[in-house]
Amino acid sequence: MAGCAFTSRLSPLVRGSFCGKVCCPAGRTAAVRAFSRAVTCTQLQRVQGTGALTGKVDRFGGVTVNLADTGLPADISESSFSGLLRDSLVQWKADGKVAVWLRVPISLSRCAAAASAHGFTFHHAKNDHTVLALWLGEGESRLPGFATHQIGVAGAVVDESSGKVLVVQDRNKTKNAWKFPGGLSDPGENIGATAVREVFEETGVRSEFRSLLSIRQQHNHPGAFGMSDMYIICRLSPLTYEINFCTQECLRCEWLDLGELAKTNDTTPITTRIARLLLHGLEHGFNRVDLTMEELPAVYSGMFYQLYHRQLPTTLKS
Amino acid sequence: MAGCAFTSRLSPLVRGSFCGKVCCPAGRTAAVRAFSRAVTCTQLQRVQGTGALTGKVDRFGGVTVNLADTGLPADISESSFSGLLRDSLVQWKADGKVAVWLRVPISLSRCAAAASAHGFTFHHAKNDHTVLALWLGEGESRLPGFATHQIGVAGAVVDESSGKVLVVQDRNKTKNAWKFPGGLSDPGENIGATAVREVFEETGVRSEFRSLLSIRQQHNHPGAFGMSDMYIICRLSPLTYEINFCTQECLRCEWLDLGELAKTNDTTPITTRIARLLLHGLEHGFNRVDLTMEELPAVYSGMFYQLYHRQLPTTLKS
């Protein structure tokens, strides 16, 4: 929820403005992260109704107005909403509020145009609503941004008994390069689950997650709507071996000898590198190349997260 | 650009619909990623003007309409736009188009409300515009999603000569737990740069990137507007040692003995784990715990990306 997220990030930002250190006004801090775990929606309790619009006030100086909750007429005009917003802004500024969030249902989108005339900009949009924001505090806006990365995952399925790895060639490429099957994570999907799903969808081979091998960060990634891309390659073990690849996606799909993949020019630099890592692991033990995964409970939410790092000696692990 | 991103993802999706494999209709494929590198905006050349609205057609069956380019009157009414869109949709459907993207400047937001009555939903929004989408093809929408993750980075600055590491305690926490300084990556910022920046902003200590130690994925992360969070911890080396911490963000900041940090209860599970990794590295060499980073040029764009994995023996590296 926008209001909660705002409070979580705003806290140190607001406090930053009172800090004598030169570095603080940038306002991007570890406390953001810490607070984001501790703050919940229950903190948005006090309702601010002295202006024309009713907003919920958080303890860090922000106001959140959900236009679906304000009882506005469904056919309110842009000029009427603009008037309401203008009056509300006068009040909020007088009250020392530092930011306003507007959650706008798609059916009331005309209110976004009205808000833009008061300086609001789009923060994000999902499905049936958009969220706009306006910084009222001193200096540049210190509001938190929205998600910046998509996560792509590939699976290197290694058959240890034969020393072969499952590779594909995409259709319609100018160069027929061997690569590991993979694709974008769905919202809420774990890395390993993406790898296993994508491998099956493309090749028909079932597999299980073993380890994480590498990550690559790339900005302004084509196909990411101007955002960044995190590309992760996992090591998987095969559960089935029969290839039944999607002929609409792939030109070829094979179990290829790892040594051959490490040497061929018909591949990408990352695939070559990972092939060498895997060859090293096959010959000397995969503990030479793996990041192992462990599920741990989050301190505040109780939800489980997945942590990946080099394996520790058992004596040091717990 | 939305249109380009769409084409990059749509390609295999459209082809998937002709594929006999059960797995394909899910349409999430490696080809997506491969195409996303190869497809550029120049593919959106053919202009579709037979309907009431002028859109650009991509070779994968999608139409992109940028309302800033269509010459619409700035004061066009919702009902007028709705009529234009209705006529256009009739034409696009007759032409067999599978999807429509609408790029809407914030000043024309009322057009988003009109579009929603025709089934469009928000895909994303940034600053001064939003992008809506409508799937016209068979079955469920196969349009690509928007960025799903924020990236948080912490820096563990290890002073090898003393065996100490730089830690902070956040203000206003219910429990005073030692942790590594860190925060959210800015858009377009590399992992190591975030770590170095955050450490300096919070503690006043300057440092340089050494390696990546661990990553953690968490979904429905508080403070991420319902999206997911990737939390990455880097190993840094100090360039300065004097602490000048931000008193508005931090309660305490110290160079703490790694062995003490690995044992104390006044910390988080991840910090304990990383302290043990670092202790192991300090005693037996950091090559036991590091993921090294290398910059490599991207095949298609020529831009550089950063790749992180276990270090390979020199003989296997190139």
Side-chain angles (χ1 to χ4, degrees):
Chain A
M1 186 189 146
C4 297
F6 167 63
T7 61
S8 68
R9 179 103 201 213
L10 187 60
S11 164
L13 309 182
V14 174
R15 286 182 286 118
S17 64
F18 299 102
C19 178
K21 279 192 73 217
V22 174
C23 56
C24 284
R28 294 160 298 207
T29 71
V32 170
R33 173 161 300 275
F35 265 89
S36 68
R37 296 205 196 87
V39 173
T40 70
C41 294
T42 58
Q43 290 172 332
L44 293 170
Q45 290 306 320
R46 197 157 67 82
V47 171
Q48 175 90 356
T50 49
L53 286 168
T54 301
K56 290 183 178 176
V57 175
D58 58 65
R59 63 186 171 116
F60 307 112
V63 180
T64 298
V65 180
N66 185 344
L67 295 193
D69 294 341
T70 49
L72 290 181
D75 62 349
I76 187 170
S77 70
E78 283 178 45
S79 61
S80 297
F81 181 74
S82 182
L84 283 173
L85 189 57
R86 183 176 51 242
D87 293 348
S88 305
L89 285 167
V90 167
Q91 187 63 53
W92 290 323
K93 283 176 186 168
D95 293 344
K97 298 292 173 282
V98 294
V100 182
W101 298 85
L102 284 184
R103 193 183 196 275
V104 183
I106 194 166
S107 61
L108 286 173
S109 291
R110 74 188 81 91
C111 296
S116 76
H118 294 279
F120 281 84
T121 54
F122 284 120
H123 183 269
H124 68 274
K126 283 192 283 194
N127 305 323
D128 64 351
H129 73 279
T130 182
V131 173
L132 291 91
L134 177 65
W135 176 250
L136 298 177
E138 289 180 16
E140 280 185 27
S141 167
R142 292 172 188 158
L143 297 176
F146 191 61
T148 52
H149 286 65
Q150 65 182 22
I151 307 290
V153 186
V157 189
V158 180
D159 177 7
E160 296 181 46
S161 63
S162 67
K164 293 188 173 184
V165 64
L166 188 65
V167 286
V168 296
Q169 288 187 8
D170 289 337
R171 287 189 75 88
N172 301 324
K173 297 285 287 186
T174 47
K175 181 189 170 193
N176 293 333
W178 289 116
K179 55 190 279 294
F180 304 117
L184 292 177
S185 266
D186 287 334
E189 188 177 48
N190 287 330
I191 292 166
T194 304
V196 166
R197 174 179 58 72
E198 287 284 348
V199 165
F200 177 70
E201 288 179 4
E202 281 190 53
T203 70
V205 170
R206 295 198 179 274
S207 62
E208 62 185 0
F209 175 83
R210 289 292 180 184
S211 73
L212 192 156
L213 294 168
S214 83
I215 73 171
R216 183 222 60 192
Q217 186 182 40
Q218 190 172 351
H219 305 298
N220 295 308
H221 188 74
F225 301 92
M227 308 308 275
S228 297
D229 180 270
M230 194 79 88
Y231 177 57
I232 298 174
I233 300 182
C234 298
R235 182 169 71 84
L236 309 177
S237 287
L239 297 172
T240 65
Y241 296 85
E242 191 183 325
I243 290 173
N244 178 22
F245 71 93
C246 176
T247 54
Q248 300 298 332
E249 299 172 31
C250 305
L251 186 68
R252 301 168 72 181
C253 176
E254 290 181 18
W255 289 101
L256 197 67
D257 185 77
L258 259 176
E260 199 177 320
L261 182 61
K263 278 184 297 187
T264 182
N265 289 324
D266 295 335
T267 189
T268 64
I270 291 185
T271 310
T272 298
R273 182 65 61 87
I274 300 303
R276 287 175 183 163
L277 273 172
L278 288 169
L279 202 57
H280 186 56
L282 194 66
E283 289 169 357
H284 300 94
F286 286 115
N287 62 345
R288 302 278 182 112
V289 298
D290 284 344
L291 295 195
T292 54
M293 185 274 282
E294 195 172 347
E295 288 212 323
L296 294 168
V299 174
Y300 297 104
S301 67
M303 292 186 298
F304 280 78
Y305 59 78
Q306 303 195 308
L307 185 68
Y308 305 81
H309 58 66
R310 297 277 301 270
Q311 190 144 29
L312 271 171
T314 322
T315 50
L316 282 170
K317 209 166 173 189
S318 57
Chain B
M1 187 188 146
C4 299
F6 167 61
T7 59
S8 69
R9 179 102 202 214
L10 186 60
S11 165
L13 309 182
V14 175
R15 287 183 286 117
S17 64
F18 299 102
C19 178
K21 278 191 77 218
V22 174
C23 55
C24 284
R28 294 161 300 209
T29 71
V32 169
R33 172 162 298 275
F35 265 88
S36 67
R37 296 206 194 89
V39 173
T40 71
C41 294
T42 58
Q43 291 171 334
L44 292 171
Q45 289 307 322
R46 197 157 68 81
V47 172
Q48 177 90 355
T50 49
L53 286 168
T54 300
K56 290 183 179 177
V57 175
D58 59 65
R59 63 186 171 117
F60 307 114
V63 179
T64 299
V65 180
N66 184 344
L67 296 192
D69 293 342
T70 49
L72 290 181
D75 62 349
I76 188 170
S77 69
E78 284 178 45
S79 62
S80 297
F81 181 74
S82 183
L84 283 174
L85 189 56
R86 183 177 51 242
D87 293 348
S88 306
L89 285 167
V90 168
Q91 186 64 51
W92 289 324
K93 283 176 185 166
D95 292 344
K97 297 292 173 282
V98 295
V100 181
W101 299 85
L102 284 184
R103 192 183 197 276
V104 183
I106 195 167
S107 61
L108 286 173
S109 291
R110 75 188 80 91
C111 297
S116 77
H118 294 281
F120 281 82
T121 54
F122 284 121
H123 182 268
H124 68 275
K126 283 193 283 193
N127 305 323
D128 64 352
H129 72 278
T130 181
V131 173
L132 292 92
L134 177 64
W135 175 250
L136 298 177
E138 289 181 17
E140 281 185 26
S141 168
R142 292 172 188 157
L143 297 177
F146 192 61
T148 52
H149 285 65
Q150 65 182 23
I151 307 291
V153 187
V157 189
V158 180
D159 177 6
E160 295 180 48
S161 63
S162 67
K164 293 189 173 184
V165 64
L166 187 66
V167 285
V168 296
Q169 288 187 8
D170 289 337
R171 289 189 74 87
N172 302 325
K173 297 285 288 185
T174 47
K175 182 188 171 191
N176 293 333
W178 289 116
K179 54 190 279 294
F180 305 116
L184 291 179
S185 266
D186 287 334
E189 189 177 47
N190 287 331
I191 292 167
T194 304
V196 167
R197 173 179 60 72
E198 287 284 348
V199 164
F200 177 70
E201 287 180 3
E202 280 189 53
T203 70
V205 170
R206 295 198 180 272
S207 60
E208 61 185 358
F209 175 83
R210 288 293 180 186
S211 72
L212 193 156
L213 293 168
S214 82
I215 74 171
R216 184 221 61 191
Q217 185 181 40
Q218 192 172 352
H219 305 298
N220 295 309
H221 188 74
F225 301 91
M227 308 308 275
S228 296
D229 181 89
M230 194 79 87
Y231 177 57
I232 297 174
I233 300 181
C234 298
R235 181 169 73 81
L236 309 178
S237 286
L239 296 172
T240 64
Y241 296 85
E242 191 182 327
I243 290 172
N244 178 21
F245 72 93
C246 176
T247 54
Q248 301 298 331
E249 299 170 35
C250 305
L251 187 67
R252 301 168 70 183
C253 176
E254 289 182 19
W255 288 101
L256 197 67
D257 185 78
L258 259 176
E260 199 176 319
L261 182 61
K263 277 185 296 190
T264 182
N265 288 324
D266 295 336
T267 189
T268 64
I270 290 185
T271 310
T272 299
R273 181 66 60 88
I274 300 302
R276 287 175 183 163
L277 273 173
L278 288 169
L279 203 56
H280 186 55
L282 193 65
E283 289 170 359
H284 300 94
F286 285 116
N287 62 345
R288 302 277 182 113
V289 298
D290 284 344
L291 294 195
T292 55
M293 183 274 282
E294 195 172 345
E295 287 211 325
L296 294 168
V299 174
Y300 297 104
S301 68
M303 292 186 297
F304 280 78
Y305 59 79
Q306 302 194 309
L307 184 69
Y308 306 80
H309 59 67
R310 295 279 299 274
Q311 190 143 31
L312 270 172
T314 320
T315 49
L316 282 170
K317 212 167 172 188
S318 55

